[in-house]
Amino acid sequence: MDPMEAIRATFFEECTELLETLEAGLLALQAGTHDTDTVDAVFRAVHSIKGGAGAFDLTDLVAFAHEFENALDGLRNKRLPTDASVLAVMLRAGDQLGDQVTAARDGYKLAPDTSELKKLVSTETPTHAAPESLSQPTSADATAPEFTPITLDIELDSDFSPAVGTRRDSEKKNPKDWLINFEPLPDLLASGNEPLYLFRALEVLGQINVEAIDSDLDLLDNLDVAIPRLRWKIVLNPTAGDLTETEIENVFEFAVDLCVLKIDSAQPESAPPKSKNDTHSANRVPPPKCDTEIPGSIIDDSISASPEVVQAIPPNSTPSAVSASIRVDLSRVDRLVNLVGELVISQSMLAQEVSTAGLNKHSEALTRLDDLQQLTRDMQDSVMAIRAQPVRSLFQRMTRIVRETAQATGKSVQLVTSGEETEIDKTVVERLADPLTHIIRNAIDHGIEEATIRDQTGKSPLATVRLTARQSADRVVIEVSDDGRGIDRPRVLARAIERGLVANDAVLNDSEIDHILFLPGFSTTNSISKLSGRGVGMDVVQKSIRDLNVTVVIASEQNKGCTISISLPLTLAILDGMVVRDGNQRVVIPLSAIVETQIEASARIEALDKNRRLALLHDQFVPVVDLSEGMGFCKTSETERAISEQDSALLFVTSDEGGTFALRVDAIEAQRQVVIKGLDESFGRVPCVSAATILGNGQVALIVNPAGIASRLGLDRQITLGTKFEKPLNG
Amino acid sequence: MKVLAIDDSRTIRDMVRFALEREGIDTELAEDGQDGIEVLDRLDPKPDAILTDVNMPRLDGFGFIEKVRERAEYAGIPILVLTTESARDLKLRARAAGATGWIVKPFDPARLVGALRTVTGLS
């Protein structure tokens, strides 16, 4: 990749992080935090985005970030109050900044709207208060004494280096000498300037004759090497006739207030524009007689200009907890994850070999193997922890969604989050963004009532959407709940019937009606459609997390609100599964999908007809599906089936779409942790297969996605359509 | 020539490194003032010049410069401030802390390199 392209990519990556920092900071301020560290971090985030954007000439982004920075500076310097209305503007500006970053990244134009920020800045109250808590007042400090102008500014558009200075060819006068008096002040050397280098830079401009004036030299014993004692007189015979005083000054630009510099044309009559230069010189060069006082006065000025500021930020005033962290390329972590996966496989192969080797149960080898097993597992956990990420950043993103949706619907909604520190696999975090966005939009758009209705029902006008995350056993549950009207079941059902998703005469229980929300093609779009109902329904939620081995549960209570829980595996790399055999195929069924297993011989099975059988699970009959039929592979021979029948078992699996059904397999072979190996892109997608794994004996086995089987056989439709399978023969 | 560049922005660090290494200048990077001190202490040989941002977490540019100048062995290393800021009071603070010069971002790579060459006398 072109290095600049790579840096550009880095920039946008960094922007994402900075935007998160920004939002987190603003939200902390909104929540009542008032420490300067937070304000500084927020300011710095915008500042860094501006800095990087400038480097890539992203003018709109720079322009917006600049206005934003101005406003934040007001916050930082207490010219703006940290109140709700100011923060609301800041948060919206943060959103817009994010949009500008996206526009810049994707190369489209988005006119920055800075009106709100400008208006905010115009309300700033000028303050003369000592900026004790502020790190850097950028505006001129009113209390600072007047001091002699010091030309520290480097003109952006003037050439910095004499070597690259441009010359006007029109003036071809005879080169005239320049006289330069250069008298270092005591600080010159200590600031990293070296007269010799300056002379070398001068040499680029022409021939120089340097004379050292050593009249100030003290006795050797009194000499301090750090303090310059020599003064210099330089005669410069320029190569180009039109050399200007500015070009000479440029050489000294970093030393300009650390020395007394006097530049004179040797031929006064043809000197460059006199008046301006004289003012310059007069300002900088003191009358010769006062030499000894000048250094002090200049230094004093610069110190007195900012004493309180200097004290305001002692170098280590921000001992904020420094998290010892390193940045590691994700691909390296993935490689490690893969290697540990291989280790797990090879360890289980070894275990299998050992178990068949007929060793004594108490043999040393088996004990050591147990140790190895334990270590491998610990190692696996540790590696997984590297990929784990708190859901905080995901939750933060949702605050914007809430804000925007609330604004668009004219409802007032607060987002309350908890469990942000809960960690899940990075990939999962990323994949959850869309579904959560959808759920939250839906909750606000459809779930939360208009203010008047809330008032009538005695609810607070400020609606609440709660977003929580918690870990339970090996899964993480993320919940979105609102305090709105709850799911309007009669309406949902009516609509589903209208859309042909449910049979006219269907009798569905509450939970089944609630889950209609997730059916493709279902969308109660007769309200604000540009938000939650933009042609796609909640089925997007299902789709985007389908292969994450998740379960989604809806709980709704009339007028109390609705809760949608998404339960996810902790990791996408390891799966607790049951290794089963059907025909000559071995596959792995995720343990999380299995609710119960029964030996076929002792199960109660009713035949509906030649091809359809039902099995009793507690008080309900569910369809029985042969695994081979469900997955679409053929059993090699009838004899094989006959032989295996004695071990055959029913695995009652449940999927959100397909409800519960029984998978009939020839045999259950083992229950174990397997390492998930993603199927390469080159394999076509088969809905009933989610991934593959390598078994202890080295054999490759597919990991089954029960929901895929359900949809392949149309179980999901049968169930939701309320046909025979939906409420099978009770008892 | 060897330069230590300190900036909390990865983008800017990458850019500086790119601009300098293209000109054959060894570039060491640090993420903030505190990190800068640590890298500086570790480096051997020491850099010929230092570029530092102002606005950084933990230890800002001013604090960094002061810390460097407290150490006799680092007194002669030129320090150029590379920042988007251009307010005079900030420049004066940088100067008071012991900075050698000030370059405004976004920077022109040729000028940055030119400035480094001037203050170090190295090509």
Side-chain angles (χ1 to χ4, degrees):
Chain A
M1 202 197 287
D2 167 23
M4 282 315 281
E5 270 309 302
I7 297 173
R8 199 183 147 92
T10 304
F11 169 63
F12 288 113
E13 214 174 274
E14 190 172 24
C15 277
T16 310
E17 291 162 22
L18 292 167
L19 287 168
E20 276 170 17
T21 310
L22 170 69
E23 174 133 25
L26 288 175
L27 290 174
L29 293 175
Q30 199 178 40
T33 315
H34 288 293
D35 67 311
T36 44
D37 281 1
T38 309
V39 182
D40 283 347
V42 162
F43 180 86
R44 218 165 29 232
V46 177
H47 183 78
S48 288
I49 291 178
K50 184 178 106 173
F56 291 103
D57 224 10
L58 303 168
T59 42
D60 282 349
L61 184 52
V62 172
F64 187 80
H66 181 73
E67 286 303 330
F68 196 179
E69 200 186 49
N70 266 348
L72 287 170
D73 193 48
L75 209 60
R76 205 164 63 147
N77 291 333
K78 306 238 151 78
R79 293 191 306 271
L80 282 174
T82 323
D83 64 22
S85 63
V86 169
L87 286 169
V89 174
M90 300 288 190
L91 280 163
R92 280 197 291 274
D95 295 345
Q96 212 195 129
L97 186 65
D99 293 341
Q100 285 292 345
V101 167
T102 311
R105 185 193 61 205
D106 299 344
Y108 60 88
K109 198 158 170 60
L110 187 67
D113 176 10
T114 54
S115 53
E116 220 181 9
L117 286 170
K118 281 189 170 136
K119 207 171 126 201
L120 192 65
V121 171
S122 71
T123 65
E124 284 186 4
T125 48
T127 172
H128 292 263
E132 71 286 323
S133 58
L134 310 171
S135 58
Q136 292 173 19
T138 48
S139 60
D141 189 338
T143 58
E146 275 301 312
F147 44 86
T148 38
I150 296 173
T151 53
L152 266 168
D153 283 88
I154 295 168
E155 290 302 321
L156 260 176
D157 48 355
S158 80
D159 285 300
F160 163 75
S161 165
V164 295
T166 49
R167 304 278 145 70
R168 277 164 289 138
D169 291 332
S170 53
E171 287 183 66
K172 290 273 182 197
K173 291 179 200 156
N174 279 337
K176 47 197 177 288
D177 289 353
W178 289 85
L179 287 179
I180 302 161
N181 277 299
F182 170 57
E183 189 176 326
L185 295 178
D187 279 352
L188 181 94
L189 298 177
S191 297
N193 285 287
E194 166 60 65
L196 178 63
Y197 303 155
L198 298 173
F199 302 154
R200 283 191 192 157
L202 271 182
E203 233 173 356
V204 176
L205 302 179
Q207 212 174 19
I208 57 168
N209 187 339
V210 184
E211 188 189 336
I213 300 162
D214 58 3
S215 54
D216 290 345
L217 277 187
D218 209 334
L219 291 172
L220 189 58
D221 286 349
N222 300 336
L223 278 184
D224 180 341
V225 287
I227 296 175
R229 291 286 172 162
L230 295 174
R231 287 180 289 147
W232 311 85
K233 199 164 138 187
I234 306 134
V235 179
L236 168 67
N237 179 245
T239 323
D242 55 351
L243 181 74
T244 63
E245 185 173 334
T246 314
E247 283 173 273
I248 300 171
E249 277 174 357
N250 279 345
V251 171
F252 293 92
E253 79 182 324
F254 294 139
V256 83
D257 63 336
L258 294 169
C259 67
V260 180
L261 185 68
K262 195 171 175 213
I263 304 169
D264 280 318
S265 168
Q267 292 148 284
E269 68 279 3
S270 60
K274 199 88 178 133
S275 56
K276 177 179 165 265
N277 288 320
D278 270 3
T279 346
H280 264 246
S281 306
N283 282 335
R284 243 174 306 119
V285 182
K289 296 295 163 205
C290 321
D291 276 4
T292 48
E293 290 166 30
I294 291 311
S297 82
I298 289 179
I299 289 162
D300 281 349
D301 268 349
S302 54
I303 289 170
S304 64
S306 53
E308 18 359 343
V309 178
V310 173
Q311 283 156 8
I313 39 157
N316 43 8
S317 70
T318 48
S320 52
V322 177
S323 67
S325 64
I326 55 163
R327 190 179 293 279
V328 182
D329 195 69
L330 195 59
S331 64
R332 290 194 190 186
V333 177
D334 285 345
R335 181 165 159 67
L336 192 59
V337 170
N338 269 331
L339 284 173
V340 172
E342 298 294 336
L343 181 65
V344 171
I345 291 167
S346 109
Q347 180 264 322
S348 73
M349 283 176 173
L350 180 64
Q352 191 155 341
E353 288 300 320
V354 170
S355 72
T356 55
L359 285 178
N360 181 320
K361 259 194 174 166
H362 305 289
S363 79
E364 195 66 356
L366 283 177
T367 317
R368 294 285 162 257
L369 188 65
D370 277 348
D371 291 350
L372 180 65
Q373 222 152 6
Q374 188 54 46
L375 280 175
T376 314
R377 193 163 289 225
D378 288 352
M379 191 166 164
Q380 203 171 43
D381 289 347
S382 311
V383 171
M384 291 307 148
I386 299 179
R387 278 192 62 101
Q389 215 182 32
V391 293
R392 181 173 293 105
S393 64
L394 176 71
F395 279 18
Q396 267 172 25
R397 267 192 269 173
M398 295 307 129
T399 57
R400 173 178 189 178
I401 306 299
V402 170
R403 213 157 48 229
E404 284 179 350
T405 316
Q407 204 174 20
T409 53
K411 296 172 182 173
S412 82
V413 185
Q414 61 169 343
L415 179 73
V416 178
T417 57
S418 64
E420 293 99 326
E421 67 290 342
T422 310
E423 292 188 329
I424 35 177
D425 193 277
K426 186 177 159 62
T427 334
V428 181
V429 172
E430 282 157 9
R431 302 252 308 259
L432 275 176
D434 275 354
L436 275 188
T437 302
H438 232 82
I439 292 172
I440 287 176
R441 280 192 179 140
N442 255 286
I444 297 173
D445 194 2
H446 302 301
I448 286 167
E449 314 90 329
E450 310 299 325
T452 47
I453 299 174
R454 287 185 72 88
D455 194 41
Q456 284 162 21
T457 48
K459 288 184 181 175
S460 153
L462 178 62
T464 304
V465 171
R466 264 172 224 284
L467 185 55
T468 56
R470 61 169 191 276
Q471 190 179 337
S472 65
D474 60 340
R475 294 182 79 81
V476 169
V477 180
I478 294 186
E479 257 177 29
V480 181
S481 62
D482 64 69
D483 61 353
R485 57 169 74 91
I487 293 174
D488 186 348
R489 294 193 180 107
R491 191 163 140 245
V492 168
L493 185 59
R495 188 149 190 105
I497 292 171
E498 181 190 314
R499 303 219 153 193
L501 297 167
V502 173
N504 277 332
D505 55 349
V507 183
L508 303 185
N509 64 28
D510 286 354
S511 161
E512 283 164 342
I513 295 175
D514 292 348
H515 282 87
I516 288 178
L517 292 187
F518 290 119
L519 286 182
F522 178 84
S523 183
T524 51
T525 45
N526 46 9
S527 62
I528 304 146
S529 52
K530 84 177 209 265
L531 283 170
S532 41
R534 43 172 117 167
V536 287
M538 296 273 281
D539 57 312
V540 151
V541 173
Q542 290 284 79
K543 259 185 215 144
S544 49
I545 50 182
R546 191 197 305 269
D547 37 342
L548 289 184
N549 179 19
V550 301
T551 52
V552 182
V553 176
I554 306 182
S556 170
E557 204 177 333
Q558 200 66 35
N559 287 325
K560 290 275 176 61
C562 178
T563 300
I564 296 183
S565 319
I566 304 175
S567 158
L568 309 127
L570 265 186
T571 163
L572 292 183
I574 306 284
L575 176 98
D576 275 307
M578 207 170 259
V579 182
V580 299
R581 187 178 56 78
D582 201 34
N584 60 358
Q585 291 287 328
R586 269 181 190 78
V587 297
V588 176
I589 318 266
L591 215 52
S592 57
I594 301 173
V595 288
E596 194 171 309
T597 57
Q598 293 179 8
I599 303 294
E600 189 179 16
S602 57
R604 184 175 159 200
I605 297 174
E606 305 281 345
L608 267 183
D609 53 41
K610 188 165 166 274
N611 295 318
R612 292 190 292 172
R613 295 191 301 160
L614 299 174
L616 183 67
L617 174 66
H618 308 299
D619 58 350
Q620 205 185 9
F621 274 99
V622 298
V624 177
V625 176
D626 258 21
L627 181 70
S628 54
E629 179 201 344
M631 294 193 64
F633 59 82
C634 297
K635 292 196 178 177
T636 45
S637 67
E638 282 302 314
T639 40
E640 202 173 52
R641 161 173 276 215
I643 293 168
S644 58
E645 210 108 278
Q646 51 193 313
D647 295 327
S648 66
L650 294 180
L651 269 52
F652 292 88
V653 295
T654 183
S655 72
D656 308 307
E657 293 152 320
T660 306
F661 60 98
L663 265 182
R664 188 208 158 276
V665 298
D666 286 348
I668 295 173
E669 298 204 325
Q671 182 179 319
R672 66 161 55 121
Q673 275 202 326
V674 297
V675 179
I676 301 172
K677 298 276 180 188
L679 291 169
D680 197 78
E681 290 289 313
S682 51
F683 292 106
R685 295 286 296 160
V686 178
C688 49
V689 173
S690 60
T693 189
I694 300 170
L695 298 175
N697 60 6
Q699 199 187 355
V700 174
L702 296 174
I703 298 173
V704 173
N705 172 20
I709 293 185
S711 70
R712 183 171 179 271
L713 297 181
L715 293 178
D716 48 349
R717 289 196 70 78
Q718 287 172 28
I719 285 166
T720 47
L721 288 174
T723 56
K724 290 177 201 140
F725 279 144
E726 190 263 319
K727 284 268 158 144
L729 322 162
N730 257 338
Chain B
M1 190 191 330
K2 178 149 132 186
V3 170
L4 167 62
I6 310 167
D7 202 303
D8 58 334
S9 158
R10 243 188 304 152
T11 311
I12 301 296
R13 286 199 300 274
D14 284 359
M15 288 199 113
V16 169
R17 188 209 288 271
F18 176 62
L20 300 189
E21 292 193 339
R22 200 173 49 174
E23 297 293 320
I25 298 171
D26 281 350
T27 312
E28 297 287 342
L29 301 174
E31 296 182 8
D32 56 41
Q34 192 59 48
D35 191 27
I37 297 283
E38 285 160 23
V39 174
L40 185 58
D41 286 342
R42 200 168 60 225
L43 283 182
D44 184 34
K46 300 299 172 196
D48 300 298
I50 299 170
L51 283 172
T52 180
D53 186 18
V54 170
N55 209 325
M56 295 183 290
R58 296 211 289 168
L59 179 61
D60 69 6
F62 302 124
F64 169 78
I65 298 168
E66 277 164 13
K67 284 211 160 185
V68 171
R69 293 302 184 219
E70 274 167 18
R71 307 264 294 270
E73 70 266 38
Y74 299 148
I77 302 179
I79 305 176
L80 298 181
V81 176
L82 180 64
T83 172
T84 47
E85 306 280 357
S86 58
R88 192 182 56 180
D89 52 347
L90 296 183
K91 292 183 180 178
L92 286 172
R93 279 184 64 195
R95 173 64 82 219
T100 311
W102 188 283
I103 297 170
V104 177
K105 283 191 283 205
F107 62 88
D108 168 19
R111 283 184 52 195
L112 178 65
V113 172
L116 286 168
R117 288 188 175 142
T118 303
V119 297
T120 58
L122 299 168
S123 58

